[in-house]
């Protein structure tokens, strides 16, 4: 059976599963990088990644989220993802930005997301390779030591 929902956890990444239900899966990402391919979510279900500076949501799509030096960078590589900044109190800010496939946005602390900008070719290739080597699949989270699974 093909894996429909895959979350790839990057090296030196910390994730916390905050909520796991039929309608919402919420993952905390204090640092590091995750790539998610979501094709098997039930109708109306949402997958959310929460970082110190942003809330990133998806419904049946592919996305990459990275927290680096206090800034959240998001990439959409299928469909549309929704991004919202967080204020100094960690509460969501009012602006929600839609990031279409092939585009990215960045969110600094206390700010709204930047307007979407096109992904460069290397960014897109990195995302595709990351999904080709899933380390966490179908909601089962295991400890792993990163390994080289694909090279260009």
């Amino acid at each position: 059976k093909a894996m429909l929902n895959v979350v790839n956890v990057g090296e030196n990444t910390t994730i916390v599963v905050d909520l796991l239900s039929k309608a919402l899966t919420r993952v905390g990402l204090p640092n590091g990088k995750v790539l998610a391919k979501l094709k098997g979510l039930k109708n109306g279900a949402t997958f959310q990644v929460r970082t110190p500076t942003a809330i990133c949501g998806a419904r049946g799509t592919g996305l990459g989220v990275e927290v680096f030096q206090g800034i959240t960078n998001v990439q959409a590589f299928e469909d549309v993802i929704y991004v919202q900044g967080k204020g100094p109190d960690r509460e969501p800010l009012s602006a929600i930005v839609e990031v279409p496939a092939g585009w990215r946005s960045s969110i600094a602390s206390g700010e709204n997301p930047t307007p979407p900008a096109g992904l460069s070719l290397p960014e897109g290739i990195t995302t595709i390779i990351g999904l080709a080597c899933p380390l966490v699949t179908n909601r089962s989270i295991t400890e792993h030591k990163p390994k080289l699974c694909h090279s260009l």
Side-chain angles (χ1 to χ4, degrees):
K1 181 178 177 182
M3 292 184 287
L4 299 177
N5 298 318
V6 177
V7 177
N8 183 326
V9 179
E11 183 176 1
N12 299 318
T13 295
T14 302
I15 63 167
V16 178
V17 178
D18 294 328
L19 180 65
L20 193 60
S21 72
K22 290 182 181 180
L24 174 65
T25 298
R26 187 170 59 214
V27 176
L29 179 68
N31 65 289
K33 183 175 186 174
V34 296
L35 298 172
K37 178 182 175 188
L38 309 164
K39 289 296 181 187
L41 294 179
K42 297 209 183 271
N43 197 17
T46 301
F47 179 83
Q48 222 177 57
V49 178
R50 290 179 172 243
T51 74
T53 63
I55 300 168
C56 312
R59 293 187 181 115
T61 190
L63 74 152
V65 181
E66 179 179 30
V67 178
F68 182 71
Q69 297 182 344
I71 295 176
T72 299
N73 298 295
V74 297
Q75 303 172 353
F77 48 89
E78 291 179 34
D79 302 322
V80 176
I81 59 174
Y82 304 89
V83 185
Q84 189 172 23
K86 288 182 178 179
D89 57 0
R90 305 256 178 172
E91 290 298 314
L93 298 174
S94 59
I96 297 175
V97 172
E98 291 186 6
V99 181
W103 293 73
R104 61 181 166 79
S105 179
S106 296
I107 309 92
S109 181
E111 296 183 14
N112 286 312
T114 61
L119 287 174
S120 67
L121 184 58
E123 288 172 316
I125 290 171
T126 299
T127 300
I128 291 167
I129 290 173
L131 283 176
C133 181
L135 300 173
V136 179
T137 61
N138 295 329
R139 295 188 178 172
S140 66
I141 297 175
T142 59
E143 289 186 38
H144 67 279
K145 292 186 178 180
K147 59 183 179 181
L148 180 63
C149 61
H150 207 308
S151 60
L152 292 176

